Structure formats: C-alpha cells, structure tokens
Amino acid sequence: MNFCSDNTTGAAPEIMAALAEANAGQTMPYGEDALTKRLTARFGEVFETDVAVFPVTTGTAANALSLALMAPPFGVVFCHREAHIAVNECGAPEFYTGGAKLKLLDGSDGKIEAETLAAALAGAGAGDVHHVQPAALSLSQQTEAGTVYGTDEVGALCEVAHGHGLGVHMDGARFANAVAHLGCAPAEVTWRAGVDVLAFGATKNGALAAEAVVVFKPELARDLGYRRKRAGHLLSKMRFVSAQLEAYLAAGLWLKNATHANRLAATLARGLAAVPGAEVIHPVHGNEVFVRLPEPVIAGLLADGFAFYRRGGENATTLRLVTAFNTRAEDVRAIVDAARRHGRSAAQ
Amino acid sequence: MNFCSDNTTGAAPEIMAALAEANAGQTMPYGEDALTKRLTARFGEVFETDVAVFPVTTGTAANALSLALMAPPFGVVFCHREAHIAVNECGAPEFYTGGAKLKLLDGSDGKIEAETLAAALAGAGAGDVHHVQPAALSLSQQTEAGTVYGTDEVGALCEVAHGHGLGVHMDGARFANAVAHLGCAPAEVTWRAGVDVLAFGATKNGALAAEAVVVFKPELARDLGYRRKRAGHLLSKMRFVSAQLEAYLAAGLWLKNATHANRLAATLARGLAAVPGAEVIHPVHGNEVFVRLPEPVIAGLLADGFAFYRRGGENATTLRLVTAFNTRAEDVRAIVDAARRHGRSAAQ
Amino acid sequence: MNFCSDNTTGAAPEIMAALAEANAGQTMPYGEDALTKRLTARFGEVFETDVAVFPVTTGTAANALSLALMAPPFGVVFCHREAHIAVNECGAPEFYTGGAKLKLLDGSDGKIEAETLAAALAGAGAGDVHHVQPAALSLSQQTEAGTVYGTDEVGALCEVAHGHGLGVHMDGARFANAVAHLGCAPAEVTWRAGVDVLAFGATKNGALAAEAVVVFKPELARDLGYRRKRAGHLLSKMRFVSAQLEAYLAAGLWLKNATHANRLAATLARGLAAVPGAEVIHPVHGNEVFVRLPEPVIAGLLADGFAFYRRGGENATTLRLVTAFNTRAEDVRAIVDAARRHGRSAAQ
Amino acid sequence: MNFCSDNTTGAAPEIMAALAEANAGQTMPYGEDALTKRLTARFGEVFETDVAVFPVTTGTAANALSLALMAPPFGVVFCHREAHIAVNECGAPEFYTGGAKLKLLDGSDGKIEAETLAAALAGAGAGDVHHVQPAALSLSQQTEAGTVYGTDEVGALCEVAHGHGLGVHMDGARFANAVAHLGCAPAEVTWRAGVDVLAFGATKNGALAAEAVVVFKPELARDLGYRRKRAGHLLSKMRFVSAQLEAYLAAGLWLKNATHANRLAATLARGLAAVPGAEVIHPVHGNEVFVRLPEPVIAGLLADGFAFYRRGGENATTLRLVTAFNTRAEDVRAIVDAARRHGRSAAQ
C-alpha cells in the first residue's frame, strides 16, 4: 500500500467513463469543441461569477502560466519557503515569467501570515530601479504542510497584497481538499477573498491529467491563450482534458472524492498519534498527514511493504502520508495497526 | 464529415483500452512507473538502437524541447518557410530555446533541398559575433505540404547540417504516415540518415494526447528531464501517456493506422483530381491532400456540410483535406461524389 | 584611410571636452546626478514635446530595450529584411523581448512600403492563438541602404502600424544624418509622424559611447528603468554618458557633424559614379555610399590601403563606404582619384 | 562630502589621459582594434596565466554574463544573502541565464563559509528532476560587508564547489581593494584558489565605465562573445573601454588607488570607533566602513552636509561609508571630527 502521494492512484471511474464518452465522433481541435466551450459556463456556476478557464494537463503548467500573467520578468512572487512552485517545479515560474524571482517567506504549518507578507513588502524596494519589483503573492491551498487557510486568512493576505499592487495566485493542486475541509462556497475562499487566478487541480483527486487556470479578472486572461499555446499546453484533442474536468465538477464528484480522502487522513492521523513516540506535527486539515515516528516503527512499516516519503532526506523520521479519493479504510487500518505493533515492540 | 485535420478524430479503441488497463492499481508518479520504464526499451526495438524517450502530451512541446537541446539562445534553427514550428506554434521554439531565431528556407512541395540549406549556411555568418549562430536543422516528416522526404533526401540534408556542426531535429507529428509511405525501417529515415532528435507523434494517428521526444544521441538527452519538468510537461500520472504510446507501437498499430489514412488520402486525391477545374498541387504521399477547386465547388461542399481548411485565407481556393486512422471509405466517396456533382453544375 | 564605418572614428573634441568637464567633483550615481536630470528637458526641447530619456552605451541596447517595451514574448516585430536588429545584433531583440519574432519585409533601397506592411499584417494571424501576435514596427532612419524615409513615408507606415495596434520603434543609429538630410524638425519625422520610441544614436556621429532611448509615450516608459538596470545598462557613473549627449545636442553639434558627413558622402558618390563600370546602387541620402565597382578597381583600392566593407561576402563587388563627422575632404578626393585611376587602367 | 559610494567620484587623471590618447586616429570597431587586442596579454601578465578578456561597461553586465557561462536556465547559483547579484541588480542574473535561481546563503561579515555551502549542496536535490540544479558559486571579493576573503577561504569554498561540479564566479567590483588588502598576487585569490570567472571591476576605483569578464577556463569563454553582443555590451568604439583598463593596470594604478582608499577607510573606522555609542560592525578590510552611530550623531552629520547610506531603511542607525581612490585625508578627518563633536553633545 502506497501512501507516497495522491498521484500514485489511477483515475476515478466517473472520469474514465467521461473519456470514453468524449471519444465519440469528430470535433474541432484545440478547444474549439462544444465540451470545452461549455466548461467555462460550468466553472462560472461553481464559482458564482464569470471566469476565464484554460485547461492544461499539469499543475506546474497551471501555476507557471498563472504567475506569468501577473509577474513581469523583473517581478517578484512572494510565496512560502516550502511552496511547490519554489521547491518542486524545477524553476517553472522563472521560465514562464522570463526570469522573475521568488521571495521565500517563513511561516509555521505551511502558512504565510499577513504580517510576514507586509514586512517583506515594506523592505522589498518597490519603485527602486535596483530591485526586482513586487508583483504577485502565491498561496497554496491546501498548503504543503497539509493545512488549509481559512477564508479570513486568505482575505487578510490578499488585502495586504492588493494594497501593494500585487496580484494573487492560488496553487490549488489540492483545492478540492481545502474546500471540503472548509465547507465553504468555492467563491468564498477565492475571488471573494481576493484571489485573482486559481490553478485548479483535478489530477490528484481523481483525474488522469487535468488542471485548469481559472481567471477571475478578465483583463488578466487576455494573453493567456498565446502563452499556453507557446508553452505547448494547448492540446489538439482538448476535449479529452475538458471531459475530465466536466466529470470532475459534475454531481459534486470533486468534493465527494476530497471529503473521502480528508476523512481517511483524519483517521490515519488519529491512529498514528496513538503510536508510542509518535507526533503529528501539523494540523491535519486535508489529505496529508505529517508525523514523526520512531525509526524502528518506520523500519517496520517499510519491511511490511508500506510506502511513503520521508521529509527531509533519507534518514529523516518525519513522514508524509497522503490519502486519495480511492484510499480504502482497510488500508488505513492496516498501516495504523502495523505502526502500533511496531511501536509496542520498540517500546519493550 | 470533417476533413479539417487528423486531430478532429477521437482515439483508437486500442488506445482507449490501454488507458483503462493502465488505470489499475497504484504506481510511482512522474514516470517512475514500470510502464513508462519499459517504453524506452520498446522504442529501442522499433528504432533498432539505444534511445532516450521522453513522453509529453503535445507536438509543440516535443518540438520545442527537442530544439532547446540543440540551439542556444544565440542559435539559429533552419527550417522550411511553412514549417509548423515557424507558423503554428506561437513562438514555442523561441520560448524554449531562450530566444533562438528560425531561418526560413524556401522549397517546393514543402521540402528543403540540400543545396538550399548549404547556400543558407554559407551566408549565415558562422563565427561572426554580430550574427546568431547556426545550430540546428528542423525537418518535418511528413512535410506541411503532405509530402514525404526520401531517406536519401534526409541523408543529404543531414550531411550538410552535420558538416556545419548543426544538430538535426525531425518534427514527426505525422511520422507514422511518412514511414508507412516509405515502407522503410524507422531507423532508415531517422538516425541512420543523420537525425539526432525525433519528435515522435501519436496524437494525430489515434492517441488522445501522446508524443515522445526520442533522442538518438545520449549526450543530447542529459538536460531534457529538467527542461521537460520546468516546462510543466512531466505528468504526475505519466503512465497514462506511456500506455498510449505502448499501445500505439504494439502490434504495428501505428503503421496500420497510418497506412489506412494514407490509402484513403490517395483515393481522395484521385477522386478530386477528376473534378473539372481541380488541381492537386502537391504529390500526395501521406494523409494530406492539397487541391485547388473552383469556388462554386467549394461553396457547394460547404453547403453540403463538409468541413476543411482553406489554405491562405478566407477566400482562398486551395484546400487542405486530411484523412485519419478512422476515416471511412464512404466518407471519402461522399465528398468526391459531391465535388464532382458541383463541378459538373459549375461547368454547365 | 578607412571607410568601413562611421564607428572607426574617435570622438569629437566637443565631446571629449564635455567628459573632462563632467569629471569634476562628486555626484550621486546611477543617473541621479544633475547632468543626467537636465538631459530630459534638453531632449524635450529638441523634440518639442515631453519625453522620457534613458541613456545607454550601445545602439543594440537602445534598440532591444525599445522593442521590449512594445513586444511581448509572443509578439512579432515587423522590420526590413536588412534591418540592423535582424541581421547584426546577434538576436538582441529576441533576448530582450523574451523571444518575440522578427518578421522580415522586403523593400527596395532599404525601405519598407506602407502597402508591404499592410499586406504582411493582413496575413499575420492577429487574434489566432497559434500565431505570434503583431506588436511593433521597427524602422531604421537612415536605413541600412543609406537612404532616408521622408516624413510622409514614416507617417504612412505609422498609420498602418497604429491601425493594427502596433507600436513604432525607430532605430536612429544615424538619426542625425537623416534629420540633416531632411532638413525638418526632429519632431516631424518622429512623434508627429507616429513614432513611439526612438533609439537616438550619438556614437557613430561623434560620441565615444552614447545613445538614448527616447520615449514619446509616457506609459511605454514605465518599466524601462527596471529593464535597463536588469540588462546591465544603468551605468553607475552615468554622468559620463549624459555629458556626451548634452554636448552632442548643444549648439547643434549633432546636425553640424551629420551635415558634414552627408556632404562628403555625396561628393564621394558623385566621384565614384564617374569611374568606368561603376554603379551607385542606392540613392545617397546620408553618410553611406553603396557602389558596385569592377573587381580590378576594388583590388587597386585595397592595394592602396583604403579600407571598406564588401557587401555580400568576400568576393562581392558591391562596396559600402561610410563617411563620418571628421572625414576629411582630401581623403574623399584621394579615394575617388585612386578609383578613377584604377578604372582607367582596367578599361585599357 | 559624499561617502555614499565609491562611484560618486569621477575618473582618475591617468584614465582620462588614456581616453584622450585613445581618441587619435581610426581603428576597426567592436574590439578589433590593437588596444583591445593587447589587453588580453596584459591581463595574462597580471594574472600569470592565459585568460580570455571581455571588456564591458558595468559590473552588473560583467556579473550576469559570467553567470550565464556557468548556469543553465534550470541551474542554481549559490551566493551570500546580501550579494550584489541577489539584491541590487534587478534580476540581471535571472535575465542573462534564462531563469536560473539564486540560492541565498547566510554568513557573518558578508562571507559564506565552506560548511554552509556544503550543507546547502547536500540538500539541493542534485540529479532530481523536480529541482533546479546546482551550477555555480558566486563570491564577492571584497564582500558586501566590506570584508575580504582570505585565499584559504576562497580555496576551501572552491574545493566544495568544484567537488559538486559547480563553476565559481567572483564578483570583483572591488577586486583591487581586496588584493590591496591581501597583498597577494592576483592569481592567488582567483584561479589558483579555484575561481573560474572573474568580473574584474575598474569603475569604482578610478575608471569612468570599465569592467572586464576575465575567464580562466578557455572552454567557458567560447560563447561569451555572442552573449555579450546579444546583450548590447559589445561597444563599437571599444577602444575607449580598453584604454581605461589598460591605464588602470599600467604602473600599478589599480593597486595604488585601492591602497589609498583602503588606508583612508581604516582611518575613518578608527576615528568613528572612538565616538561615544559607536560600533563598527564588520572588520574593515577594504574601503567600506559599516558603523552603528547614535541617531543624534547621524542627524548632526547630515545637517553638516555629509552624505552616506543608511543600511536597512530610512531610520536605520547603521551606516555604510565608502572611501575612494581620490578621497582626501582632510575629508575623513572632517567627518570624524564632526561625529565626535556630535557624539559629545549627545552624551551630555
């Protein structure tokens, strides 16, 4: 059983069915098909406002394209020190923006605080020709620590950002998990709180390869079509990406899947917390559990065939375990039971 | 019936089946799955040599990544004036190379001649600090005029290119159609003729979204993983792209599909050539037919509901018609019959 | 005697004197000195309008920065096939714009005609996501053929350009020679005719290293300070560049120098035209003479120690000869006399 | 009296004389002149090895070009958190490298320690496709804190860097001050210690605008000519830059000037240290003094007309004072005396 990431899973049956259905007949390519066209309206309903929607196949593309709409080559994007865009995208933001800088901010539990952002902006050299210029704030929702920003927290951050003329990007690779946790309307934690562009993820939560750049400010979307094409992210048979997104949004699949994953992560966290010597190190809001375990427990779990990532290198004892839309309750039970067993052995 | 392009079709049933099969179970993400790993060996068999293989989802990405391996920011890529990389990719080569130039070469029937390349290189200012530096030759196989380079033609071009220190890229969006036409081993028209990197296309010929950068010179592949990731083209659930490519290569599907499309294009060309006033303007080697038709015939076909692209603007009378892996013989018959009927009416 | 270019000369005594004067005392760096600040007003007087002025040290920098203000990475800059930005700047426009394309237009005597531009724009795919987007027109004044656009010609081109939403850049490496030829106010052939940004050259006409980006539309200048700094073109001891420009504009030095060079070029052209077998191939408006000479004449001149460039490669018989602010009448006489002598010998 | 920076001064008389001398006669442009050509040999003598030398007019250009030789677009440059390339160049390294990242390292007194670099490299994700790849180390000599790395410190850092396959760049904007402090051969603290490329500064120490990229590894210099031209940093009348550098190196001017500045900085530091409440916060190795002073003292000095930068914003009480090649002993005395006077007043 593999708890390394939610992208170790395949796709949800509803998504596979949508693909099969989309395969019938001929359509115009490059998003000029009816399915893609109606997707914009569908997203508009979900977000209760007019949006521009640009489907792509990876979260890295969605993030980097979003940032390129807001940050000029001499711009700065403020983000958390552990942000995916900073750590795990091999410089995609720099590539797509033409060389903008990321300014890394500290913050506990994966979150930036509004005060931290304000302080960073105060010292950022805005208007000084020797300094790169503040351009955007990037928030991950859910964060890289598995936590979720409250709508008020997003609002406070956006207020600081907009007060300094910055655009706001939300990396929503696990946006569904965040919304499922908050139980709020998607609009509440995005544009109503001040988010300008959302990289809306579906892949980790049941799609094969489907993300969308959702733009809440029409003027920001003007160049996006050219930038997407130029980056090689305009698929000729776009209907196959759009079909995934449509099915994902239909009948609440996206929230159903995320709720399932979140619930099992909570179960997992509770279970592991009871292991002697264990410490859950971040609040578990979504589908990720960060837990410190005694090395003998880790060794035992690995020997049992469980898979997960160590956080911070080969011998680190902090683990990240991720649940997915199709993680089974018995698998969570199995790893918890095994951990407890190894914990008791170690304690003796 | 839509003859606009081979990307107006859906996917082949074999490809859909492979997707469904790939969906089972968990795998490691980002290409660390068994399916992706065995793909390299499979391509090696098809091309009879060791290759490095990097699956992506669009031809534009495959082309631009390929060129970035060979052309520095101050480099020049020589290509045909009508090349897809020059005309239809919104500047992707410039984006991925960091600003290299495309030098557009003339040539009839979509082909560059070795002499034309040699002349261009002689005047290219190699070694002169004021001039961008010759770096790569890009060939489309099949060409944008629907023709196919012979292996000797490719060989002659590559000899000139290599003689000047250039790398050679082949845009193989319709590589299967070219190989089906030539009836040669894939190796003959690629690395044995001097091609260094092939953008191997599958999408137009039956996949949903699957292309591969196939690198014949290991040293060229060294940076490709980073460049692909940085461009947002490393899919997390990569197995779904790899599964398409595996099925595409299995049991000769790729050549079977292409042979079918080529055969119907030949039928279509023969049929349209007999329309009064018609002129097929390029040899029909693969699955594209370029034909000049009297405006009344065009108007009649449009009124009948046939779809196709005019070449050269709204009122142009040169059409491009493209057949695909699943084009039906009766559809070809239908458009030919209609064109003849309109042609006879117009002639009266 | 060297007629290769106007940059084989040193600097004018007035410029050298200004440097010495600027050397006194301390000033704030990076253009925050009084001399640089008053330069903007001075340019404003010369051009009879408010301008933003950014001094730099090379024409390539001035051109590339100008283009970066108007062309996005997915943009197209329309220019003459022989434009310096296209042929002699090693891809600087592509570098500074982040990968925009140059679209090369044909035109006799180094000039683009308004009809040619209009036709190119009609087929440029504006609004089509697969195509790079028309962004700017770049004109060289004087042109690379030594001719000068009339104010009406500039006006007609700008009208077409603006009608399609393009900005207009003027490469004014030899702007003084052009204005001296036209005898018009600098405003007439720039902003009043529709030019948005001028790369104003001084180096070729008597400065050591001084050019200026002169922006006629304030909103275009907004980012220029950051782009200049980022490109390494904000000099710390900027006063030394500004001093050159101030002296250049003072007391009409720029036009006096250019008038001298133009006059000698006319003399040179008349003289060479009389050589048997000679053909002056472009109208001589400014300080460049393009002349076809019999090979024995060329060989004779080279043997005499005259220096000049052949146009089109090692054995080409078309020469470019350039006069400068300090070219002496006796040097022009000397080369003309020598050419005639060699011409007579060859004719015998 | 202005102690803001060493670039508030003009140029040394020897440099001005060299300019005047270089102005005589005609030469071929773009560095094809005799003066520029002999410069390479001259640098070779100074550094006791074969070097490639590329003159430019700004330190930012010299630094960014140097980094572009070593860091690919997906590369990482390790540097001190306060490095000029990180803080004061408006993203020039990102621009020239095509989007490489700077990884900011901590270290007291402006210096990176070898252990810090080693630790950063251990966690840098070398070989992991999701991470930008370690490419270069950049050291400032003298540092931004006014200190100077010892040859052993440079050696230890280069050993770590080379052990991980990194190139080493030295930002030598104040290289002369560093060498004057160390009293070593220039070779000792550069290539013999492991430095691959030096951005050799002259502007701050007596030139108008002259820096040079000095490359110690020939293979690194191969593309530099194209990159410099493309960036607009190949001056047409290059002899005027080369003349400055030649005069700078002649008769030990560079070290004479730097020794003077260093000596006065030491005097200044000693003098200010005696002010009640003052604290000199970094060792004064070169020509920069960082000192914390009571606000009343600062206010008094400003009222007296002395100029300097506050470090860390408008109300910061840490000052940077910089001496230059032509700072006068009486000016140093004057500010010291004034500070003491204000200090005594404040203490009463």
Side-chain angles (χ1 to χ4, degrees), chain B residues 222-286:
Chain B
R222 211 182 36 204
D223 295 345
L224 185 41
Y226 304 112
R227 290 189 181 271
R228 178 175 61 171
K229 173 67 192 184
R230 173 177 184 70
H233 284 289
L234 177 62
L235 270 72
S236 59
K237 297 182 178 175
M238 181 62 88
R239 55 170 148 169
F240 288 117
V241 182
S242 302
Q244 296 177 60
L245 291 167
E246 190 174 63
Y248 186 66
L249 293 177
L253 178 63
W254 67 300
L255 292 174
K256 192 189 77 167
N257 281 359
T259 302
H260 172 86
N262 287 3
R263 194 168 46 78
L264 286 193
T267 305
L268 176 60
R270 271 196 310 274
L272 293 179
V275 173
E279 185 189 4
V280 174
I281 62 169
H282 297 303
V284 177
H285 292 163

Side-chain angles (χ1 to χ4, degrees), chain D residues 295 298 302 310-317:
Chain D
E295 183 56 41
I298 297 175
L302 291 171
R310 291 175 189 254
R311 195 76 167 186
E314 254 179 63
N315 299 309
T317 56

Side-chain angles (χ1 to χ4, degrees), chain D residues 170-290:
Chain D
M170 181 169 277
D171 174 351
R174 296 189 178 93
F175 183 69
N177 302 89
V179 172
H181 169 73
L182 293 170
C184 70
E188 291 306 314
V189 75
T190 54
W191 64 275
R192 282 204 192 111
V195 172
D196 298 309
V197 182
L198 170 68
F200 178 91
T203 308
K204 290 181 193 292
N205 192 34
L208 290 82
E211 314 272 317
V213 182
V214 180
V215 187
F216 299 109
K217 280 200 184 147
E219 69 273 20
L220 284 177
R222 212 180 38 205
D223 294 347
L224 184 43
Y226 304 113
R227 291 189 182 269
R228 180 176 59 169
K229 172 69 191 180
R230 174 179 184 70
H233 284 288
L234 178 61
L235 269 72
S236 59
K237 298 183 178 175
M238 181 62 88
R239 54 168 147 167
F240 289 116
V241 182
S242 301
Q244 296 177 61
L245 291 167
E246 191 175 58
Y248 186 66
L249 293 178
L253 178 65
W254 67 300
L255 291 174
K256 191 189 76 165
N257 281 358
T259 300
H260 172 86
N262 287 3
R263 193 169 46 79
L264 287 194
T267 304
L268 176 60
R270 269 195 312 272
L272 293 179
V275 173
E279 184 187 6
V280 174
I281 62 171
H282 298 304
V284 178
H285 292 165
N287 66 328
E288 293 174 284
V289 177
F290 292 85

Side-chain angles (χ1 to χ4, degrees), chain A residues 233-319:
Chain A
H233 284 288
L234 177 61
L235 269 71
S236 60
K237 298 183 177 174
M238 181 62 88
R239 55 169 147 169
F240 288 116
V241 182
S242 302
Q244 295 177 60
L245 291 167
E246 190 175 61
Y248 185 67
L249 293 177
L253 178 64
W254 66 302
L255 291 173
K256 191 190 77 169
N257 281 358
T259 301
H260 172 86
N262 288 3
R263 193 169 47 78
L264 288 193
T267 306
L268 176 59
R270 271 194 311 274
L272 293 179
V275 172
E279 184 188 6
V280 174
I281 62 170
H282 297 303
V284 177
H285 292 163
N287 67 328
E288 293 173 284
V289 177
F290 292 84
V291 60
R292 206 171 290 127
L293 287 178
E295 183 56 42
V297 176
I298 298 174
L301 291 174
L302 290 171
D304 294 342
F306 293 102
F308 39 76
Y309 287 132
R310 292 175 188 254
R311 196 76 168 184
E314 254 180 63
N315 300 310
T317 57
T318 298
L319 309 183

